[in-house]
Amino acid sequence: MGAKDLKFNTKTIHGGQQPDAAYGAVMPPIYQTSTYAQSTPGEHKGYEYSRSANPTRTALENALASIEGGNYGLAFGSGLAAIDAVIKLLSPGDEVISTNDLYGGSYRIFKKIFEKFGIIFHFVGMQGVDAIKEKINVNTKLIWVETPTNPMMNIIDIRAVADLVEHTEIILAVDNTFATPYLQLPLHLGADIVMHSATKYLGGHSDTVVGALVVKDKELAERLYFIQNASGAICGPMDSFLVLRGIKTLHVRMQRHCENGRAVAEYLRSNPKIEKVYWPGFVDHPNHEIAKVQMNDFGGMISFVPKGGSYEDAIKIVERLQVFTLAESLGGVESLAGHPASMTHASIPKEEREKSGVVDALIRLSVGIEDVEDLIADLEQAID
Ligand code: P1T
């Protein structure tokens, strides 16, 4: 049976993996080495220097390719390093169309790092393809989609965007951090590049910072590999090992994240002190129909606004939480709460972020895999 025929839950454990050649270790050893002995210059066992390749990173990259349904995986030192590599495919004068509701750090690298090198970024609402169509011109080289979006939980129709660029040279990249391949497979929906902050659900234990890219196309993989090696923002062997270990339980964790996410979203919606809950599983979520088609479930990320909420109200709630930890990040086994306006999205100017709904009172939850009764009781006491 070829690795490509395996079903998803089997791929998370076995995809791209073989017992280690030296002693049959079932988990790849952490090859904590910078270099590899050569018998004569240029003759070696497949590895010469760990920026170029490292066996533990190779094991992770193969696993990433397998679970995303791609052919090539690349692991980086962070999600932002992975994004950095994608933008380095471009040249001055090239244009990028990005969703206007996305992780603040992605916005920051686009605007504050790459704009000064002459790359032009357009931020548009991507709930319909018309806004994207309007911005496409001969200089458009990349469309950047994040879905569900961070933190507003909007859903972008990946197949519709892929159809729009199908017979063009425009690259479609999808940040799959919130959904993970358990919930959606962008490459199957027509995307060219899948990107991850593997720091989140793929790693799953809040113990490492890692980024990933997966592609199907060999030529694109070679261009990205060149950038990865030439720029050097690689993932180290210990971090590769941790994410690889995380991926092995991705499916069981995601199942529980989704179950708990649903219960917490429904609880928040039933609480009269809550004004608005953003979660794509609600049938009246504006993009619910797309979510139902392109995702297998709705995930464990939720945002909400307390009634009549102010900045201070939101801060009070997140400070009072006891089971939820107030922290940046998401996707770990433990539940986290965040205040986007002052934390993850503080790098986006206030009027920009408020346009996409990131108001001062918005609170974001990463619902973990604890007993959901404890999570709901914690929210109850903090909101009361
Ligand atoms: O933190 P890093 O591994 O570099 O990944 C950046 C990144 C990229 N894309 C999305 C959708 C993300 O959520 C992130 C990181 N996000 C957080 C740290 C956060 O709390 O939202």
Side-chain angles (χ1 to χ4, degrees):
M1 196 183 205
K4 288 216 183 289
D5 305 321
L6 298 174
K7 295 178 77 172
F8 185 78
N9 298 344
T10 313
K11 278 185 181 174
T12 63
I13 295 162
H14 298 289
Q17 305 305 302
Q18 257 129 35
D20 185 64
Y23 298 108
V26 168
M27 276 304 279
I30 301 163
Y31 281 97
Q32 196 71 50
T33 185
S34 61
T35 194
Y36 307 81
Q38 306 192 9
S39 50
T40 184
E43 222 158 89
H44 50 74
K45 297 180 176 165
Y47 293 89
E48 45 189 335
Y49 186 59
S50 280
R51 169 161 39 71
S52 310
N54 171 287
T56 320
R57 194 172 95 221
T58 304
L60 170 62
E61 290 175 333
N62 291 342
L64 291 164
S66 170
I67 59 174
E68 281 289 357
N71 297 319
Y72 306 94
L74 298 106
F76 293 83
S78 70
L80 280 169
I83 296 175
D84 178 89
V86 175
I87 307 301
K88 284 176 176 164
L89 291 167
L90 309 180
S91 302
D94 287 349
E95 298 190 17
V96 180
I97 307 172
S98 164
T99 177
N100 63 355
D101 166 28
L102 80 170
Y103 172 55
S106 308
Y107 176 89
R108 181 177 55 197
I109 193 172
F110 294 164
K111 290 289 285 182
K112 299 272 171 70
I113 304 287
F114 283 110
E115 224 168 54
K116 68 174 185 250
F117 293 109
I119 296 165
I120 296 152
F121 293 88
H122 303 281
F123 296 90
V124 301
M126 289 193 174
Q127 276 61 65
V129 289
D130 287 352
I132 305 174
K133 232 190 246 172
E134 257 173 44
K135 292 284 179 207
I136 292 181
N137 65 49
V138 289
N139 297 322
T140 308
K141 296 289 157 57
L142 174 72
I143 298 192
W144 188 267
V145 165
E146 186 181 293
T147 181
T149 61
N150 179 1
M152 297 310 297
M153 313 302 156
N154 288 310
I155 304 298
I156 298 164
D157 186 340
I158 298 170
R159 194 180 289 282
V161 184
D163 287 348
L164 193 65
V165 297
E166 195 182 352
H167 300 295
T168 71
E169 299 282 294
I170 301 171
I171 294 170
L172 171 58
V174 176
D175 184 334
N176 205 24
T177 299
F178 270 33
T180 83
Y182 176 83
L183 294 179
Q184 86 192 356
L185 291 167
L187 296 178
H188 286 188
L189 297 169
D192 301 296
I193 301 176
V194 175
M195 178 261 149
H196 275 278
S197 170
T199 315
K200 312 293 166 13
Y201 288 105
L202 299 189
H205 296 75
S206 305
D207 52 10
T208 181
V209 175
V210 172
L213 299 176
V214 180
V215 302
K216 277 187 170 168
D217 181 70
K218 185 164 191 269
E219 201 248 349
L220 185 56
E222 283 169 354
R223 288 170 66 200
L224 289 165
Y225 172 70
F226 178 82
I227 295 166
Q228 183 192 38
N229 183 47
S231 286
I234 47 136
C235 172
M238 179 71 195
D239 299 298
S240 298
F241 178 89
L242 288 170
V243 176
L244 195 55
R245 183 160 80 157
I247 287 173
K248 285 173 191 285
T249 56
L250 177 68
H251 51 300
V252 283
R253 287 185 287 107
M254 286 307 292
Q255 188 179 351
R256 182 65 68 87
H257 282 296
C258 291
E259 285 166 20
N260 284 2
R262 173 179 294 280
V264 169
E266 284 169 358
Y267 156 73
L268 286 170
R269 187 170 246 205
S270 71
N271 187 325
K273 294 189 174 130
I274 301 303
E275 177 80 40
K276 184 99 182 105
V277 186
Y278 300 92
W279 179 67
F282 290 135
V283 289
D284 58 355
H285 181 286
N287 320 124
H288 178 69
E289 288 307 314
I290 301 165
K292 247 178 24 186
V293 174
Q294 91 181 5
M295 298 171 74
N296 297 321
D297 205 333
F298 305 105
M301 294 301 298
I302 301 165
S303 291
F304 70 98
V305 178
K307 206 160 254 174
S310 61
Y311 186 94
E312 291 72 27
D313 289 333
I315 300 293
K316 260 188 232 155
I317 291 174
V318 294
E319 280 177 354
R320 282 194 206 124
L321 288 166
Q322 288 164 11
V323 182
F324 281 82
T325 302
L326 172 61
E328 305 253 354
S329 205
L330 59 111
V333 289
E334 65 287 293
S335 292
L336 301 181
H339 179 244
S342 67
M343 295 168 70
T344 48
H345 292 69
S347 55
I348 306 179
K350 186 173 160 78
E351 59 296 358
E352 278 301 312
R353 67 171 159 77
E354 289 198 337
K355 261 191 242 163
S356 53
V358 188
V359 294
D360 282 351
L362 190 80
I363 294 170
R364 190 190 72 181
L365 302 179
S366 169
V367 179
I369 62 172
E370 303 94 334
D371 282 311
V372 75
E373 296 79 5
D374 291 333
L375 301 180
I376 290 174
D378 191 32
L379 286 163
E380 181 97 6
Q381 64 79 25
I383 293 164
D384 269 354

